[in-house]
Structures are given as structure tokens and as C-alpha cells.
């Protein structure tokens, strides 16, 4: 049976515990970052950041809205990255769980050409 | 302003009857580094462990001290709990001096250093004395004043005046490294600095106390790296070496050192027992007999005759002969009544006597019936109290054998304003020491007349509405970094998430100053300059104060130069001004100006 992540973004306070815990669990090194005028760092998902909290803010009717979105691979039912991949079996989908899995071949894909490709 | 707000909130909650009830109190957020536990154990200069006044020269003997600090009431309905103070103070002295603490030397009171009455020995004035060359050396354990103290330029210059400095730390910090900070020639610094590598929290056993006073044991998860050791071990071993030197060479006044009952080695479990308290000789209390060395079962058994010892009366009862170290309990069982207010009496242990809600008899009427039965904290069932541990063992007031609920005040009643405060009695709106307005909107008194202000030539304050510094700066912590950042800036995944010092400002201010999001700006106060990355955000909005637009900017204070290119202390901007009662620095408001940086050196 396919499984999915459910993230209740209404409860998210942008503590980024998930972002840091994910990379520590996987033993990934830190990537160099700079303060660029936002709390969102690194700017995007990377090979060493499978989880990233995105920040967005705006004013609506005088009210400030500050929204947080913990982003990650969504293991789509019909993964765009897989259909956009140029090498056969570089991205596979596990039949049992629905997990979209990157392989050693994924690294050979041209990431510039495939915006849907999450760098997992 | 924070103090005035908290005082106002406390008064309102008291008037509403929201003290001693479930969900009551004001629950002011305390700081992160075990503030409750370290305050209980007297990390501050003005108290001894267990909230007893620090001895001063006006109280030369124990009798003088106890007379001045033990309140008396003639009202039989007032428990006047501080009337027990002599038992707690003598037990504390016995824990320090053991058999050497005798009635003849005030159980060791004669060995204690005495303050000068009225002198302020807090952080701000400690560094003021150091700056003026009156301090020769010292120990800094797990704190980073060259980063976290206000007016950091002065703090750093003060450290230059020391002959020696010992720093117990996990990492190199702005304090341990002050002698080669940017702009300073190490050859011109005379201070000899010793860095003692400390074990990290996860590398040692010990306790923390939360704001609900739960005393919780934490276990060592890994061995300390390299030569690093728990700070407790550093303190115990250094003192033993000092004692050996005094024993060999003598000294002007060796008794306070040599007559200590000092442990041979640092052992957290043994220390926990001594905090609880031990009988110093075979003792009979009522018809119960206790052997020398046995744990004192609770602070009601502590004595003023030297037969008991306890490092801290509040924690007495937290370590028992039958159940062991109660701070290790993780049992979630509770009665339905306790479940209704999320009270877990068997999870850890709370001081005093495992009471989870202080003044809980204020939640019941004279017959012991809860004012709010659905959220009852305690209730009298006709023969005993049920629910939480009641605030005193007496039956309800209506029985004629009860006591007023506010047992820690002399009169037994709550106080709208406490006697003995420097300012007050009622809260008042004051402008900060530095304010963007010239005059108070509705009072002739602009600032708090009792605020404490350091007065060296490095302690400049901008005049009210100083046109050179029209912007208000506030400072704060962030989730990713802990306090001054000495620990977390050395945790790569956290530094990745928050890598550099920023300054949050409104789009209106940014436009006025020609600053774009992500530009490096210079923030300047009368005390110093700081480089930071502009974070232009709608979350900050200009205020209109007395008809004038006032901009506020906000900065974290966790970035320091020992982490390359992350920025340096925001506290170079903040003033050495303290609250009248506690001398807590005014980090939350000062005056600055900002401009786009012409040259970037710190980031």
C-alpha cells in the first residue's frame, strides 16, 4: 500500500528541527551558506539537504502572514522527475510503498534541464 | 519595561484569583541554561543556596544574620514559613563545614566572606570594577561575557586588565580568545589565560530544574572527548589543590579553605545526596530515630542545632532512603483528579516536597472545596487532602486548625506589592535609558529613577531623542543558536541554517536609507559599530510615537568573531544599564543609526 507523509503546516513554527534532524540522521555534512536577507537557508534543497523549510511572508488587509513550508521529496504517484529522466532506471518507483528512489545513475542526470528533479 | 510588565501581570493575576490554581500564575519565560536550577543553587551573588540573603558586613555573626532574616508573626493563622530559616541556614553551613562547623564559630558562618552592605556585585558592576583595574583574575565557567554582556567593547577591554583568567568551556569562545580578538595585538595583552576543556551536557550525569521546579536527572550518553571533564570535577579538583597548598604553606586566613567538608572527588550521585541533606549524628525527632549519615526525609526534619546538613533545603526530600533519587522517576501514573489538570506526581520530583502548584490552598474555600471543581488542584475529603501535595499539612481554615494559604509571606496573605523592592510599589511606564522621545507622554519622570548605570568613560548613553541615533534597536535569541552561540556556532548543521548576523528592518526604513534586502549595513550606537546583513521584512513596521515616526530594528546576539565571517557581538551596541532590583541588563532597547556598509570586514 502506498504511503505518504502528512505534514500539518498549520502547526509548523519553522523551528527547522526536521531540516537539521534529517541531515544529521543521514550523516550529511553542512553546506556553506550565507545570510541573504531571509531565514530560509540553504536557499534550496541540495544533495546534502533532503528537507528544507521554506519561508514566505506578505501583508493582506493589514495583517502580516508568515508562512512556513517544510519541503522534501513528495514521492508523487506519477513522479515528474522519473518521466523527465533521460537515463533508463536512473529513478525507480518502489511498487510496494510507492517510494520514489534515486539511484547511483541519478547523479548522471542533467539537473539544469530537469527542474522537477529534487536532488536526492 | 519587562520587569514592570511582569509586576503588572502578577498583580492582575492575583486580583483575578489566578494564583495557586490550575493554569494560574504568570509563567514568565525563563532563560535557557537551567535558570531555575542555577538560581535555586545561588549562581547569583545576592543569595546563598535556597534563597537566603548573602551575608554582609552589617551582620557579623550568625545570630545577627538570623535575627535580621527570620520574620516573626503574632498571627496564629499565619504559617510564616521563613520563620524556619535558622534550620535551613544552619543545615547549609553544616553541609559546607561538617564537623568543623560548631556553635562557637556560628556553624562556620564566621568563615564566610561578607559583602559590603548596599554594594552591587552583579555582572555589570563586576566588569566595571575589572575595567577600573580592581580585579586581578577570575574563573569563567560556561558563560561568554565578551559576547553576551552589554557594552561588549568595555567587557573586552576589562578582560585586558586581568593578570590571569581561567575559562571552563566546550569550545574556544570570544571570552577565552579575547587576547587575540580583531584589532588587538596579543603581545600587548598581559593576561595569562587557561582554557579548561569542558564535557558537553550529553557527556555527564546531572540534573536540570525546569520553571515548574521539576528536578530531572539526565544521564551521561557518551564519554567526554579528549581531556574534557565535567565543570563540577574542575571545581572540586582545583579546590582540593588549593586546600593542599594552604595545608602546606598556611596563609592569612586559611580556616574558610581548610575547614570545609570538601569532597575528595566529584561524584554527581553523592552530591545529590548532600543537596538533599544528611543527619550529622544519631538523632531522634519525635519518636523516630535517625542514624548519622542517613538521608534527611524532608525539610520539616532539618534542625538549627547542627544535627542535620543540607546544601539546599528546597531539594530536601528529593532523595530518600526508601525510593532513592526521585529526580530519576519517569512514572506517568496519576489519579483521575490529577489527570484533569495534567499533573504527573510520579514523573521526576518537584521542590518543595513534590508540590506541583505553589500556594495551592488558594484554590479552595475555607472548607477545602475547590473553587473550580472541574480543574481542582487539591480538595479536602473530610479527613485528608487529595490531589496535589497541599501547601502545608493543616486542615481547612474552617476547622479552626488551618493556616492562611500564602505561607511564604510573614502575614500569610498575598501581597499586591512586595516590601523591600528598590522601585514601585506599583508598576509604572518608564522610557528605557535611551529613548527616541524627549519627554514622557504622561509623567514628569522619563526613565526609572532607580535604574543602575555603570559610569566609566566607556559607558556613554545617548541623550533622549538624540538626532544622531534616531532608530530603536531591540535584541533577541533565535531557535537555531543557544545564547551567545559559543556552542551552536560550532554545530555545523545549525550554523548552516543560520550562518551570519542579520538586522531585521521594515521596508519603509530600508527605502529611507537606500538599503536593499541582503545588503551589508553598519549599525551604530554611541558605544560601537556592528556589521550585519539587512533582512528587510514586513514583520517590522514603523511606529508613530508622540506624532513622530520611529523605526525599530531587531538583531540576534549569538554571532561572534571566533566563528569566521559570521559577524561579531551585537552587544557592542547595548548599554550597561540594569534593572534596579536585579541589575538585569537593558538588552531590549537602545538607540542606534544604520547605513549601508562602504567596506565589509566582519562578514
Amino acid at each position: 500500500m502506498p504511503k505518504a507523509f502528512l505534514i500539518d503546516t498549520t502547526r509548523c513554527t519553522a523551528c527547522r528541527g526536521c531540516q537539521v534532524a534529517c541531515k544529521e540522521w543521514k550523516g550529511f555534512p553542512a553546506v556553506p551558506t550565507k545570510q541573504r536577507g531571509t531565514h530560509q537557508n540553504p536557499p534550496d534543497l541540495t544533495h546534502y539537504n533532503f528537507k528544507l523549510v521554506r519561508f514566505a511572508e506578505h501583508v493582506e488587509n493589514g495583517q502580516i502572514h508568515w508562512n512556513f513550508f517544510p519541503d522534501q521529496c513528495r514521492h508523487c504517484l506519477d513522479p515528474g522527475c522519473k518521466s523527465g529522466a533521460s537515463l533508463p532506471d536512473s529513478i525507480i518507483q518502489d511498487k510496494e510503498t510507492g517510494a520514489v528512489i534515486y539511484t547511483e545513475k541519478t547523479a548522471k542526470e542533467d539537473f539544469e534541464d530537469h527542474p522537477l528533479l529534487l536532488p536526492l | 519595561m519587562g520587569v514592570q510588565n511582569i509586576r503588572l501581570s502578577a498583580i492582575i493575576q492575583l486580583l483575578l484569583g489566578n494564583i495557586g490554581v490550575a493554569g494560574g500564575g504568570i509563567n514568565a519565560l525563563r532563560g535557557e541554561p537551567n535558570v531555575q536550577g542555577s538560581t535555586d543553587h545561588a549562581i547569583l551573588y545576592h543569595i546563598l543556596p535556597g534563597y537566603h540573603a548573602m551575608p554582609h558586613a552589617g551582620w557579623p555573626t550568625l545570630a545577627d544574620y538570623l535575627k535580621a532574616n527570620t520574620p516573626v508573626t503574632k498571627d496564629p493563622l499565619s504559617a510564616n514559613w521563613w520563620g524556619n530559616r535558622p534550620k535551613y541556614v544552619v543545615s547549609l553551613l553544616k553541609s559546607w563545614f561538617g564537623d568543623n562547623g560548631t556553635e562557637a564559630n556560628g556553624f562556620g558562618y564566621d568563615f564566610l566572606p561578607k559583602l559590603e552592605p548596599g554594594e552591587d556585585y552583579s555582572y555589570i558592576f563586576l566588569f566595571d570594577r575589572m575595567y577600573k583595574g580592581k580585579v586581578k583574575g577570575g574563573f569563567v565557567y560556561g558563560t561568554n561575557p565578551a559576547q553576551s554582556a552589554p557594552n561588549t567593547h568595555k567587557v573586552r577591554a576589562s578582560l585586558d586588565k586581568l593578570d590571569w583568567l581561567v575559562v571552563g568551556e566546550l569550545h574556544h569562545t570570544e571570552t577565552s580568545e579575547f587576547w587575540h580578538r580583531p584589532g588587538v595585538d596579543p603581545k600587548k595583552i598581559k593576561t595569562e589565560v587557561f582554557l579548561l576543556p569542558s564535557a558537553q551536557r550529553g557527556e555527564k550525569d546531572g540534573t536540570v530544574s525546569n520553571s515548574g521546579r521539576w528536578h530531572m536527572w539526565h544521564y551521561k550518553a557518551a564519554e567526554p572527548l579528549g581531556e574534557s571533564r565535567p565543570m563540577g570535577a574542575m571545581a572540586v579538583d582545583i579546590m582540593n589543590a588549593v586546600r593542599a597548598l594552604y595545608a602546606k604553606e598556611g596563609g592569612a586566613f586559611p580556616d574558610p579553605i581548610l575547614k570545609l567538608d570538601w569532597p575528595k572527588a566529584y561524584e554527581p550521585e553523592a552530591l545529590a545526596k548532600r543537596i538533599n541533606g544528611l543527619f550529622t549524628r544519631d538523632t531522634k525527632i519525635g519518636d523516630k530515630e535517625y542514624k548519622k549519615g542517613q538521608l534527611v526525609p524532608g525539610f520539616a526534619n532539618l534542625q538549627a542545632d547542627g544535627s542535620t546538613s543540607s546544601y539546599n533545603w528546597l531539594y530536601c526530600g528529593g532523595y530518600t532512603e526508601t525510593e532513592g533519587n526521585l529526580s530519576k522517576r519517569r512514572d506517568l501514573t496519576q489519579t483521575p483528579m490529577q489527570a484533569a489538570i495534567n499533573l504527573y506526581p510520579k514523573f521526576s520530583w518537584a521542590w518543595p516536597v513534590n508540590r506541583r502548584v505553589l500556594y495551592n490552598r488558594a484554590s479552595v474555600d475555607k472548607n477545602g472545596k475547590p473553587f473550580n471543581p472541574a480543574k481542582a488542584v487539591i480538595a479536602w475529603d473530610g479527613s485528608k487532602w487529595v490531589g496535589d501535595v497541599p501547601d502545608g499539612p493543616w486542615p481547612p481554615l474552617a476547622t479552626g486548625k488551618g493556616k492562611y494559604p500564602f505561607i511564604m509571606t510573614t502575614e500569610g496573605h498575598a501581597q499586591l506589592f512586595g516590601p523591600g523592592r528598590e522601585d514601585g510599589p506599583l508598576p509604572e511606564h518608564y522610557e528605557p535609558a535611551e529613548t527616541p522621545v524627549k519627554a514622557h507622554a504622561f509623567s514628569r519622570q522619563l526613565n526609572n529613577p532607580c535604574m543602575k548605570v555603570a559610569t566609566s568613560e566607556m559607558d556613554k548613553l545617548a541623550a533622549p531623542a538624540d538626532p544622531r541615533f534616531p532608530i530603536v534597536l531591540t535584541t533577541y535569541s533565535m531557535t537555531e543558536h543557544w545564547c551567545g552561540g559559543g556552542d551552536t556556532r560550532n554545530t555545523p548543521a545549525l550554523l548552516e541554517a543560520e550562518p551570519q548576523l542579520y538586522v531585521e528592518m521594515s521596508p519603509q526604513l530600508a527605502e529611507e536609507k537606500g538599503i536593499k534586502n541582503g545588503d551589508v549595513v553598519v549599525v551604530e550606537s554611541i558605544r560601537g559599530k556592528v556589521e550585519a546583513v539587512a533582512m528587510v521584512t514586513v514583520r517590522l513596521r514603523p511606529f508613530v510615537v508622540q506624532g513622530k515616526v520611529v523605526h525599530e530594528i531587531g538583531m540576534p546576539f549569538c554571532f561572534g568573531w571566533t566563528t569566521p565571517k559570521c559577524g561579531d557581538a551585537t552587544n557592542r551596541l547595548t548599554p550597561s544599564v540594569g534593572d534596579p532590583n536585579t541589575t538585569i541588563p537593558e538588552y531590549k532597547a537602545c538607540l542606534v543609526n544604520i547605513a549601508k556598509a562602504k567596506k565589509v570586514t566582519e562578514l
Side-chain angles (χ1 to χ4, degrees), chain A residues 7-119:
Chain A
I7 295 168
D8 182 354
T9 52
T10 65
R11 308 287 296 265
C12 178
T13 61
C15 77
R16 297 197 277 181
C18 61
Q19 179 180 321
V20 171
C22 173
K23 77 178 299 159
E24 295 218 314
W25 183 261
K26 291 180 185 293
F28 289 156
V31 301
T33 52
K34 286 254 170 207
Q35 174 54 255
R36 298 159 297 113
T38 170
H39 291 291
Q40 185 176 315
N41 237 334
D44 206 345
L45 294 157
T46 78
H47 290 84
Y48 295 132
N49 296 80
F50 289 5
K51 182 106 192 172
L52 176 78
V53 178
R54 297 188 190 277
F55 291 70
E57 60 184 43
H58 63 279
V59 180
E60 203 177 291
N61 301 326
Q63 276 283 332
I64 293 160
H65 293 264
W66 198 11
N67 299 323
F68 317 121
F69 180 66
D71 201 1
Q72 62 180 54
C73 172
R74 283 159 233 175
H75 300 280
C76 306
L77 290 173
D78 186 9
C81 61
K82 182 169 154 56
S83 46
S86 55
L87 304 167
D89 292 336
S90 79
I91 295 167
I92 56 176
Q93 197 167 18
D94 182 56
K95 284 209 173 62
E96 198 148 318
T97 60
V100 178
I101 299 164
Y102 285 15
T103 65
E104 282 173 8
K105 284 190 207 163
T106 319
K108 295 183 184 128
E109 293 287 349
D110 185 349
F111 287 80
E112 295 295 317
D113 279 4
H114 297 284
L116 281 170
L117 217 56
L118 280 161

Side-chain angles (χ1 to χ4, degrees), chain B residues 335-552:
Chain B
T335 64
M337 179 182 174
Q338 290 161 345
I341 58 168
N342 290 321
L343 191 144
Y344 295 93
K346 292 178 179 172
F347 186 94
S348 75
W349 180 86
W351 72 255
V353 294
N354 204 30
R355 181 177 305 131
R356 304 292 165 138
V357 179
L358 293 177
Y359 298 126
N360 53 24
R361 285 185 302 113
S363 70
V364 297
D365 66 16
K366 285 187 172 183
N367 296 304
K369 281 206 168 55
F371 292 120
N372 181 357
K375 295 274 179 196
V377 183
I378 56 166
W380 182 254
D381 74 358
S383 59
K384 64 178 189 304
W385 293 103
V386 291
D388 192 13
V389 177
D391 215 338
W394 314 282
L397 274 170
T399 64
K401 294 172 194 159
K403 299 273 187 193
Y404 299 134
F406 289 88
I407 61 172
M408 301 313 283
T409 63
T410 308
E411 298 78 15
H413 301 294
Q415 295 168 336
L416 285 180
F417 45 84
R421 297 284 84 86
E422 297 292 327
D423 58 347
L426 292 170
E428 177 61 88
H429 171 81
Y430 294 117
E431 287 295 318
E434 286 188 337
T435 167
V437 300
K438 256 207 173 69
H440 197 295
F442 50 86
S443 163
R444 272 169 299 167
Q445 187 62 41
L446 183 64
N447 319 106
N448 190 323
C450 305
M451 68 186 178
K452 299 223 172 127
V453 186
T455 54
S456 76
E457 74 272 12
M458 285 188 85
D459 287 294
K460 294 177 203 136
L461 284 176
D466 189 324
R468 294 171 299 164
F469 305 104
I471 298 167
V472 175
L473 167 71
T474 191
T475 67
Y476 32 71
S477 298
M478 65 164 90
T479 314
E480 289 78 3
H481 290 289
W482 201 40
C483 300
D487 202 341
T488 47
R489 277 184 269 128
N490 289 290
T491 306
L494 294 172
L495 192 66
E496 174 197 281
E498 282 292 359
Q500 288 177 308
L501 182 57
Y502 54 85
V503 48
E504 298 187 287
M505 68 184 74
S506 70
Q508 293 89 336
L509 176 62
E511 198 189 337
E512 208 174 279
K513 297 280 183 182
I515 294 165
K516 283 197 284 299
N517 193 37
D519 282 350
V520 176
V521 301
V522 175
V523 184
E524 181 175 7
S525 81
I526 200 166
R527 292 160 294 275
K529 292 180 187 176
V530 174
E531 291 174 19
V533 178
M535 189 183 286
V536 180
T537 168
V538 293
R539 289 176 287 106
L540 269 94
R541 298 198 235 196
F543 295 110
V544 177
V545 182
Q546 298 183 15
K548 192 175 85 172
V549 173
V550 175
H551 291 288
E552 182 190 32

Side-chain angles (χ1 to χ4, degrees), chain B residues 182 520 522 531 564-567 572 597-603:
Chain B
V520 176
V522 175
E531 291 174 19
K565 293 289 168 193
C566 81
R572 288 175 292 170
K598 291 193 183 78
K599 198 177 135 206
V600 181
T601 59
E602 296 182 358
L603 293 157

